[in-house]
């Protein structure tokens, strides 16, 4: 079987694991929601894992291009990425990139949001904006016959947003409401606790693109309008394209859409350095978050990870998958004290943090935490993964990677990942080769490294009784206690 966006893969693999660690009979550990606990699907070893060719280049007046060709359907997923992401913000500017991205879709050339969306709708497109660590992105998907018109519209939208004061007030209100809603999510709070433990920044919410209620309250319409305007220059754009188009066509489309683009008159704003105080921040090992009357406690563990494109990242990804499977099997399937086990990644200004968390019955937090701690300690003592587990998980990861390019819009998301970190076009192929070469000793070494006490971080969220259980089974050194509000705002902030 070879790669094709028109082909539906015949089987979705689960993640298998066999460990001689005295954890009971574990013939197969599947991720939550995949397959059956009794007879999970086996990974099809006959699948030929292939990735599409990615083209990367620089053209015209310094703009960049990432392209994946897929001629199965006459659609093109496209995005214009501006070097105006979260890492461009100084400490007093948190949230400006996110608000500026939202304002792009609030109107163009003096018109309002409804008029702008109507112009996109005439082309069969629904626009979206997003902000990452490095980029502010405007994207849409259109029929290839409308691609030139859509690209012109997107560039005009970026260059001439209306930026009305009443729209700004509504956008800021929506962002602040989003932050308030996040405070009510125990999973988000646990993730912020792990960010505090991994990166030592308070409040940890300031590491993310949304900003804080304090920074949003201080933001003015003029500052939001200037954020994008100062950084919108042709040599700071990267065009992301996936679908029914080839490189010569793309270059013609971009030339046509940028023929009236003015030359840059000033240097681009410099990316501010990370303050030394952040790099030197103390990092607690364990964060206990006091949340009275929380009906389901959260036990989370994780820590810093290498970014996509780093040689160690594939082995760390498999190691995290194995740990997630153990959490699912031990806490949910065997002991039945968990309401769900999941994984979340946080890509912050200071790097990547992975969070593995379980919703746990509050009265069983102690046994759940003790079981997870005992598992990771076995690797410090020399436990080894078996070859069969790594073979299955490796194949599953390779197939998942291939599936990430299964269609124009998923492929565009992968191009966005490359552009965010300014990675070479060959990076996915290199990552696939690293995955193919992984064996049980290498993944064991990665798991042992991630489980090392100097690297592993914990966050427990619950009431006083829950936190007391956690204290009884976790190390006593490097422990701090916070409230949910303290993870979102500086002490004393409104």
């Amino acid at each position: 079987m070879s790669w094709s966006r028109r082909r539906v893969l015949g089987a979705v693999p689960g993640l298998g694991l066999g460990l001689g660690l005295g954890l009971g009979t574990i013939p197969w550990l599947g991720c939550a929601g995949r397959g059956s606990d009794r007879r999970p699907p086996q990974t099809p070893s006959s699948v030929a894992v292939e990735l599409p060719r990615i083209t990367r280049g620089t053209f015209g007046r310094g703009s960049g291009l990432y392209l994946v060709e897929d001629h199965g359907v006459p659609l093109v997923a496209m995005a214009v990425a501006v070097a105006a992401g979260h890492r461009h913000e100084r400490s007093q500017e948190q949230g400006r990139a996110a608000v500026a991205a939202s304002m792009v879709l609030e109107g163009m050339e003096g018109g309002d949001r409804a008029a702008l969306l109507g112009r996109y709708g005439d082309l069969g497109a629904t626009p979206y904006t997003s902000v990452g660590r490095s980029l502010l992105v405007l994207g849409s998907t259109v029929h290839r016959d409308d691609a030139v018109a859509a690209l012109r519209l997107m560039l005009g939208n970026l260059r001439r947003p209306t930026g009305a004061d009443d729209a700004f007030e509504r956008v800021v209100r929506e962002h602040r409401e989003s932050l308030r809603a996040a405070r009510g999510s125990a999973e988000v709070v646990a993730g912020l606790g792990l960010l505090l433990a991994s990166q030592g920044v308070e409040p940890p919410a300031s590491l993310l693109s949304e900003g804080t209620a304090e920074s949003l309250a201080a933001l003015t319409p003029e500052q939001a309008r200037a954020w994008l305007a100062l950084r919108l220059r042709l040599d700071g754009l990267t065009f992301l394209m996936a679908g029914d188009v080839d490189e010569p066509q793309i270059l013609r489309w971009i030339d046509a859409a940028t023929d009236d683009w003015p030359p840059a008159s000033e240097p681009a704003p410099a990316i501010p350095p990370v303050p030394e105080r952040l790099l030197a921040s103390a990092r607690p090992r364990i964060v206990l978050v006091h949340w009275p009357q929380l009906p389901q406690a959260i036990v989370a563990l994780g820590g810093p990870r290498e970014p996509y494109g780093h040689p160690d990242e594939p082995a760390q990804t498999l190691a995290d998958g194995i740990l997630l499977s153990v959490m699912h099997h031990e806490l949910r399937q065997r002991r039945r004290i968990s309401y769900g086990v999941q994984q979340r990644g946080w890509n912050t200004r200071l790097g990547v943090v992975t969070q593995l968390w379980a919703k746990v019955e509050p009265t069983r937090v102690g046994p759940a935490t003790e079981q997870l701690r005992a598992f990771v300690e076995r690797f410090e003592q020399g436990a080894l993964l078996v070859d069969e587990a790594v073979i299955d998980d490796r194949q599953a990861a390779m197939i998942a990677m291939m599936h990430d390019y299964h269609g124009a819009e998923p492929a565009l998301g992968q191009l966005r990942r490359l552009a965010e970190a300014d990675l070479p076009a060959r990076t996915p192929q290199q990552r696939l080769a690293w995955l193919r070469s992984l064996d049980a000793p290498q993944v064991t070494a990665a798991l042992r490294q991630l489980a090392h006490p100097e690297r592993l971080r914990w966050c427990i969220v619950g009431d006083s009784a829950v936190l007391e259980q956690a204290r009884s089974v976790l190390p006593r050194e490097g422990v701090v206690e916070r409230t949910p509000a303290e993870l979102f705002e500086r002490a004393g902030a409104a």
Side-chain angles (χ1 to χ4, degrees):
M1 184 185 295
S2 62
W3 185 89
S4 167
R5 77 178 300 280
R6 296 179 298 245
R7 186 185 299 277
V8 178
L9 295 177
V12 178
L15 293 180
L17 174 63
L19 297 172
L21 300 177
L23 293 179
T25 302
I26 313 179
W28 183 280
L29 296 186
C31 285
R34 285 190 175 183
S36 163
D37 290 346
R38 292 186 177 181
R39 299 180 63 84
Q42 297 295 317
T43 302
S45 59
S46 60
V47 173
V49 178
E50 299 176 9
L51 300 179
R53 177 176 176 268
I54 298 174
T55 300
R56 183 189 181 187
T58 302
F59 60 92
R61 286 170 277 174
S63 299
L65 170 68
Y66 285 89
L67 166 67
V68 168
E69 295 185 34
D70 184 346
H71 301 287
V73 176
L75 293 176
V76 179
M78 62 174 67
V80 183
V82 186
H86 175 47
R87 75 185 182 111
H88 296 79
E89 298 170 340
R90 292 175 174 81
S91 58
Q92 69 272 23
E93 296 175 336
Q94 295 154 1
R96 291 191 185 185
V99 171
S102 296
M103 288 295 293
V104 167
L105 297 183
E106 289 298 322
M108 173 182 171
E109 297 173 331
D112 61 11
R113 179 180 177 86
L116 175 62
L117 296 183
R119 294 179 66 172
Y120 279 101
D122 290 341
L123 299 172
T126 300
Y128 62 87
T129 58
S130 63
V131 169
R133 185 168 176 266
S134 302
L135 300 175
L136 183 156
V137 174
L138 170 62
S140 66
T141 300
V142 296
H143 191 282
R144 70 178 311 282
D145 292 346
D146 296 314
V148 175
L151 187 58
R152 280 190 178 276
L153 177 59
M154 292 165 64
L155 289 169
N157 190 180
L158 288 168
R159 291 175 62 187
R160 298 181 293 276
T162 297
D165 286 359
D166 58 344
F168 167 81
E169 296 297 335
R170 182 175 63 255
V171 164
V172 170
R173 184 169 62 250
E174 290 171 353
H175 280 256
R176 297 188 72 176
E177 289 172 354
S178 176
L179 285 174
R180 281 194 290 270
R183 286 194 188 192
S185 168
E187 298 92 334
V188 173
V189 166
L192 292 178
L194 278 180
L195 288 188
L196 171 58
S198 299
Q199 300 179 338
V201 176
E202 300 208 49
S206 65
L207 291 166
L208 306 177
S209 63
E210 193 71 18
T212 66
E214 183 184 25
S215 65
L216 291 174
L219 182 60
T220 68
E222 294 74 22
Q223 291 169 338
R225 287 190 285 263
W227 178 262
L228 180 58
L230 288 172
R231 293 161 178 83
L232 191 62
R233 40 193 297 136
L234 201 55
D235 60 1
L237 301 184
T238 301
F239 294 88
L240 312 176
M241 302 281 177
D244 188 23
V245 64
D246 57 32
E247 185 176 6
Q249 290 172 316
I250 284 290
L251 296 180
R252 290 196 298 270
W253 292 357
I254 294 174
D255 283 342
T258 60
D259 57 0
D260 63 342
W261 198 281
S265 58
E266 298 180 2
I271 298 175
V274 177
E276 288 293 331
R277 63 179 177 80
L278 298 186
L279 297 175
S281 298
R283 290 161 172 75
R285 293 176 61 186
I286 300 163
V287 176
L288 305 178
V289 182
H290 186 237
W291 191 322
Q293 300 180 334
L294 183 68
Q296 297 173 340
I298 299 287
V299 176
L301 68 161
R305 299 295 186 266
E306 299 297 347
Y308 186 92
H310 190 281
D312 294 339
E313 179 270 331
Q316 291 182 356
T317 296
L318 292 191
D320 280 327
I322 286 169
L323 184 53
L324 188 72
S325 291
V326 168
M327 292 174 65
H328 176 73
H329 176 82
E330 285 296 301
L331 303 185
R332 181 165 182 152
Q333 292 181 331
R334 193 160 78 89
R335 295 177 179 266
R336 303 201 179 272
I337 58 177
S338 173
Y339 299 90
V341 177
Q342 292 190 29
Q343 177 175 349
R344 183 194 298 258
W346 305 75
N347 191 6
T348 78
R349 187 178 180 187
L350 297 182
V352 178
V353 174
T354 288
Q355 169 201 9
L356 309 172
W357 57 266
K359 291 182 178 179
V360 177
E361 184 181 332
T363 60
R364 305 299 301 278
V365 164
T369 305
E370 187 173 26
Q371 180 67 25
L372 294 177
R373 185 183 177 192
F375 171 75
V376 297
E377 286 179 349
R378 286 187 177 98
F379 281 92
E380 285 187 79
Q381 298 163 4
L384 299 174
L385 297 171
V386 299
D387 291 336
E388 291 80 2
V390 172
I391 290 171
D392 283 344
D393 287 356
R394 182 182 64 203
Q395 185 74 2
M398 291 165 58
I399 292 174
M401 191 175 179
M402 178 176 70
H403 199 262
D404 288 340
Y405 290 90
H406 196 70
E409 290 180 337
L412 189 74
Q414 297 305 306
L415 297 183
R416 161 76 180 270
R417 169 183 271 179
L418 298 179
E420 277 279 5
D422 195 26
L423 293 171
R426 68 177 184 278
T427 299
Q429 294 288 356
Q430 179 63 73
R431 184 179 188 270
L432 183 61
W434 287 330
L435 276 171
R436 281 197 174 104
S437 69
L438 288 175
D439 57 20
Q442 289 172 307
V443 180
T444 298
L447 187 50
R448 187 169 294 147
Q449 179 193 41
L450 299 183
H452 191 277
E454 294 302 315
R455 187 169 186 134
L456 184 67
R457 296 293 186 262
W458 295 83
C459 180
I460 313 296
V461 183
D463 59 22
S464 298
V466 164
L467 301 189
E468 191 57 38
Q469 291 181 66
R471 287 190 185 94
S472 70
V473 297
L474 288 172
R476 297 184 178 182
E477 302 80 18
V479 180
V480 300
E481 186 169 333
R482 296 289 183 269
T483 66
E486 289 170 337
L487 299 176
F488 282 89
E489 301 297 331
R490 290 189 302 108

